[in-house]
Amino acid sequence: MKKKRYVRALLIVLLLFPLVDFAWGGGTEDGRVAVPILLYHRFGPVVADSMTIKTSVLASQLEYLHTHGYTVIPLRQLIASLAGKAPRLPDRSVVITADDGHESVFTDLFPLIRRYHMPITLFIYPSAISNASYALTWSQLQEMKDSGFVDIQSHTYWHPNFKKEKKRLSAQEYENFVHRQLFKSREVLQQKLGGTVDMLAWPFGIYDDELINDARQAGYIVAFSMARHPVTRSDSMMALPRYLMINPVQGIVFEKLLAESSLSREKRENHP
């Protein structure tokens, strides 16, 4: 049984991290921006589902970043660099994000990022906050925000599957639905927590040109998908890639992921 689980996990890793495309991909105009954004969801003592990472695995990953010369930068610093409004980023820059607003972000992730002084960005769908049993509370979000390590941004209002909703609803109903998902999330997050909410993570990584236009009209200046490569200047600001982290991405797999990222960047800088 253990062997079967190991083989299944290995297959998942190979699918998510194809060996022929391990280097963080994509060229850039100046060769200086190639930053992986790591995307987490939830944590726990055991792997409860495909999106759960063991807290011990998370701790080892952050420890590795801390002790091997990686710099976890705020997401906004990366965005400013892409817009040409910030100095060159540190070598071996990495960004950490977490989607949804699971309570384990507060109980498991937050203590670790405070220990290592690592900034993170949370993408939250506010309908669940202080409502769903699995979700964070508003007071927990406020505490994290007040720490100075946590930025809180939008993941729509209740995390819909836009493809399914578009098939289910009439054209006018769908337009109204999208408007509510995009506008109400910003409105509630800003009202409850203050600050500026102008970044969006697409639920399930689903987006199209129409949704991008709607997001811009709703006041979002940048949005994020789940494509498996680092952010470069060639990427659309409304669909920046993030690397989905799952539990098998640990140990040597995690180390190789980061090493290949650094090597890819160094090659670009040495061969403009």
Side-chain angles (χ1 to χ4, degrees):
M1 183 63 70
K2 288 184 178 179
K3 184 176 180 180
K4 289 182 178 179
R5 286 200 297 265
Y6 174 80
V7 171
R8 189 181 301 116
L10 181 59
L11 288 173
I12 293 172
V13 170
L14 291 175
L15 287 171
L16 288 175
F17 300 88
L19 295 178
V20 297
D21 190 28
F22 224 121
W24 296 95
T28 68
E29 294 177 2
D30 60 9
R32 290 183 292 178
V33 177
V35 177
I37 302 178
L38 308 183
L39 166 57
Y40 294 92
H41 284 82
R42 44 193 172 268
F43 315 94
V46 298
V47 179
D49 54 45
S50 62
M51 293 294 104
T52 300
I53 288 182
K54 285 185 179 180
T55 306
S56 59
V57 171
L58 170 68
S60 67
Q61 291 172 342
L62 299 189
E63 173 68 16
Y64 187 86
L65 294 174
H66 177 71
T67 58
H68 285 77
Y70 293 92
T71 301
V72 178
I73 63 171
L75 180 56
R76 285 198 182 277
Q77 184 178 351
L78 171 59
I79 301 309
S81 178
L82 292 172
K85 298 179 180 179
R88 175 174 170 165
L89 297 174
D91 290 337
R92 294 187 168 191
S93 290
V94 178
V95 172
I96 295 176
T97 67
D99 283 6
D100 296 349
H102 193 271
E103 62 182 348
S104 60
V105 169
F106 182 79
T107 58
D108 297 47
L109 175 60
F110 186 46
L112 290 169
I113 63 111
R114 282 194 300 185
R115 177 191 304 173
Y116 293 112
H117 290 212
M118 292 177 173
I120 65 171
T121 297
L122 305 182
F123 289 96
I124 301 297
Y125 58 97
S127 64
I129 303 304
S130 289
N131 287 322
S133 60
Y134 61 81
L136 294 162
T137 65
W138 289 112
S139 62
Q140 289 171 332
L141 280 173
Q142 189 67 63
E143 181 178 340
M144 288 190 286
K145 186 174 186 294
D146 290 345
S147 73
F149 294 117
V150 180
D151 187 24
I152 298 169
Q153 297 295 316
S154 172
H155 200 24
T156 70
Y157 185 60
W158 71 49
H159 200 286
N161 184 316
F162 283 121
K163 283 186 178 179
K164 290 183 178 179
E165 296 299 330
K166 191 171 187 177
K167 293 178 180 179
R168 184 179 68 87
L169 301 172
S170 69
Q172 186 59 57
E173 288 172 336
Y174 179 68
E175 181 180 340
N176 295 339
F177 177 81
V178 170
H179 183 277
R180 182 167 186 254
Q181 290 295 322
L182 297 177
F183 277 86
K184 190 167 184 179
S185 179
R186 290 191 70 225
E187 177 186 346
V188 171
L189 289 171
Q190 291 178 159
Q191 179 184 33
K192 291 282 191 179
L193 302 171
T196 300
V197 176
D198 55 8
M199 296 192 286
L200 171 70
W202 295 111
F204 304 105
I206 294 171
Y207 65 92
D208 55 30
D209 289 343
E210 182 182 355
L211 285 169
I212 287 175
N213 183 60
D214 290 338
R216 285 179 172 142
Q217 291 183 10
Y220 298 100
I221 62 171
V222 61
F224 300 87
S225 68
M226 293 195 297
R228 300 188 300 274
H229 59 88
V231 171
T232 69
R233 294 190 190 282
S234 64
D235 292 301
S236 167
M237 290 292 281
M238 297 304 291
L240 292 177
R242 294 182 299 165
Y243 224 105
L244 177 63
M245 304 301 291
I246 58 174
N247 199 68
V249 184
Q250 56 179 282
I252 193 170
V253 178
F254 183 70
E255 294 169 17
K256 185 173 182 179
L257 177 156
L258 294 168
E260 293 289 351
S261 174
S262 297
L263 180 60
S264 175
R265 177 171 174 165
E266 289 170 4
K267 285 181 177 178
R268 293 188 185 97
E269 292 175 347
N270 293 330
H271 300 87

